[in-house]
Amino acid sequence: MLSFKYENNWYEIEYFGIKIIETKFTTNFIKSIISEDDEQAKLIIENKSFKWKNILYINEMTRYSDLISLNKNSIIYKKIIEYIGDESLIKDEIIDSIIKNINQEFEFENLLIKQYDINKIINSSLSINNSNYVEKQNLFKILNKLEFDEKKLIIFDNVNYINYEICKQLLNNFNILIVCTDIRGIINNINQLELCCFINDKKIFDVINQEKLTSYLELKMSLPISNLDIANYLENKNDQKSSIIHFYLKNIS
C-alpha cells in the first residue's frame, strides 16, 4: 500500500513496487508529498516513510552528479579504494623529502608531519563529470550498479524515455513512482492500467482494475466502452471515443 498526504488529506492507493500517477503539474505534486528530513512523513510505502534523503529524484534536468558522488559511502568511492589497494596515490619519497628538508631548515624536528587523508586526496584529484544531463542508455547502467543499505524510492518526474517495461528491471532493488502528465507512452496495454492512478486537483482515481475504469468512463460518457476503445486510447488513436476518454481522464471528478 502507498499512502501520501496531499492537499491536507491522506490517501491510500494500491502499490506493488511501481505506481504510475498522471497529474497536470507533476513537479508540484511531487514536492507536495515529499517531506524534508525534519518534517513529519507525507509519503509511506509498505509502512516505511520516505523523505528526500532516501529518494532518487530524476527529471529531464538530472545530471550524473545528482545520482552518484565520491562520498565514502558511494559505490564509486568503494571501487576506487579497491583499485588503490595497498598502494599510495602520492609519491611517498617526495613527501618524505619535503618534510625532512623543511624540518631541517627550520631546525624543528616535527614542524611538518605526514598526513595522508585518502578521502581528501580522492576528492581533490577526481570528480564526477557534471557537464551532461543523464541519458537513457547510461541511466540504467548506473542504477543497476548502485548499492544502498536500504531500498530506495526512485521518482521519475515526466521523463520522456521512461516507461513501465524499462522500469521493470529495477524492481528488485528499488521502489518506483512514475509521475507523468499522460500515461500514454508509459504503459502499452490495458492490463497495465491497474498500475495507474489519476489525480486532478483534490480528486484521486486509483484504477485498481480495468473494469473499474471502464465503468467510470461508461457512466461519464453514457456510451459502451470496449477493450478495443481503451487500447485505441492508449495507442494515441485519433478517433472520437479516444478524444472523449482523454477528456474525462484529464478531468477526473
Side-chain angles (χ1 to χ4, degrees):
M1 190 66 68
L2 185 155
S3 306
F4 59 89
K5 187 177 183 182
Y6 177 61
E7 299 288 354
N8 294 318
N9 293 310
W10 278 95
Y11 299 91
E12 284 192 349
I13 57 178
E14 286 197 344
Y15 187 80
F16 300 101
I18 185 167
K19 197 70 179 182
I20 301 160
I21 295 178
E22 178 179 306
T23 189
K24 188 181 296 184
F25 302 109
T26 57
T27 306
N28 185 65
F29 170 74
I30 293 167
K31 282 166 47 181
S32 71
I33 66 168
I34 306 296
S35 51
E36 299 293 344
D37 293 349
D38 58 348
E39 294 179 319
Q40 289 187 336
K42 293 185 284 187
L43 176 65
I44 301 171
I45 297 176
E46 305 299 348
N47 298 317
K48 175 178 173 55
S49 301
F50 284 87
K51 299 184 179 183
W52 279 115
K53 66 180 179 181
N54 48 13
I55 289 174
L56 289 179
Y57 170 76
I58 300 173
N59 65 11
E60 297 284 354
M61 300 292 288
T62 298
R63 297 179 186 271
Y64 293 106
S65 58
D66 296 322
L67 299 177
I68 49 180
S69 69
L70 286 178
N71 67 48
K72 290 183 178 180
N73 295 320
S74 75
I75 184 66
I76 299 292
Y77 183 90
K78 292 174 183 176
K79 290 293 182 184
I80 293 171
I81 295 298
E82 286 179 16
Y83 283 118
I84 294 172
D86 296 328
E87 301 298 322
S88 172
L89 279 180
I90 57 176
K91 216 168 185 180
D92 283 332
E93 295 84 355
I94 295 176
I95 297 299
D96 291 339
S97 175
I98 291 172
I99 291 174
K100 178 181 177 181
N101 291 330
I102 293 294
N103 286 344
Q104 285 179 349
E105 184 174 343
F106 283 83
E107 300 180 358
F108 200 128
E109 184 177 349
N110 58 357
L111 177 63
L112 280 185
I113 59 175
K114 187 185 293 186
Q115 179 176 302
Y116 189 81
D117 189 326
I118 185 63
N119 187 45
K120 288 181 180 178
I121 294 173
I122 288 175
N123 278 280
S124 63
S125 57
L126 301 168
S127 66
I128 302 296
N129 185 353
N130 197 32
S131 60
N132 298 316
Y133 297 116
V134 169
E135 297 175 332
K136 174 184 175 181
Q137 63 268 27
N138 294 322
L139 172 61
F140 289 90
K141 292 177 185 177
I142 291 173
L143 292 178
N144 283 317
K145 290 183 180 295
L146 294 182
E147 297 176 354
F148 302 102
D149 294 332
E150 58 182 0
K151 197 170 186 178
K152 283 189 178 288
L153 171 66
I154 298 182
I155 298 181
F156 293 105
D157 182 359
N158 231 24
V159 180
N160 73 88
Y161 53 79
I162 289 301
N163 59 51
Y164 170 69
E165 294 298 330
I166 289 174
C167 288
K168 280 197 304 185
Q169 64 180 288
L170 301 172
L171 285 174
N172 287 336
N173 299 318
F174 297 95
N175 291 296
I176 300 170
L177 188 61
I178 301 173
V179 186
C180 60
T181 54
D182 196 331
I183 63 167
R184 294 174 296 181
I186 305 295
I187 62 175
N188 57 22
N189 69 63
I190 60 175
N191 294 325
Q192 294 168 4
L193 277 166
E194 298 177 2
L195 301 168
C196 298
C197 176
F198 296 86
I199 298 178
N200 178 45
D201 294 327
K202 296 183 181 181
K203 303 294 183 180
I204 293 181
F205 184 92
D206 189 21
V207 175
I208 300 177
N209 58 62
Q210 182 218 324
E211 289 76 17
K212 178 182 177 182
L213 180 63
T214 300
S215 298
Y216 167 80
L217 291 171
E218 287 180 335
L219 179 64
K220 289 294 183 180
M221 297 168 63
S222 299
L223 290 170
I225 300 294
S226 67
N227 286 354
L228 180 60
D229 294 325
I230 300 292
N232 286 341
Y233 168 72
L234 293 177
E235 292 174 11
N236 257 316
K237 292 291 178 63
N238 213 13
D239 59 286
Q240 185 178 19
K241 269 192 177 179
S242 292
S243 298
I244 300 173
I245 289 172
H246 182 66
F247 173 82
Y248 281 110
L249 289 181
K250 289 292 185 186
N251 296 276
I252 290 289
S253 60

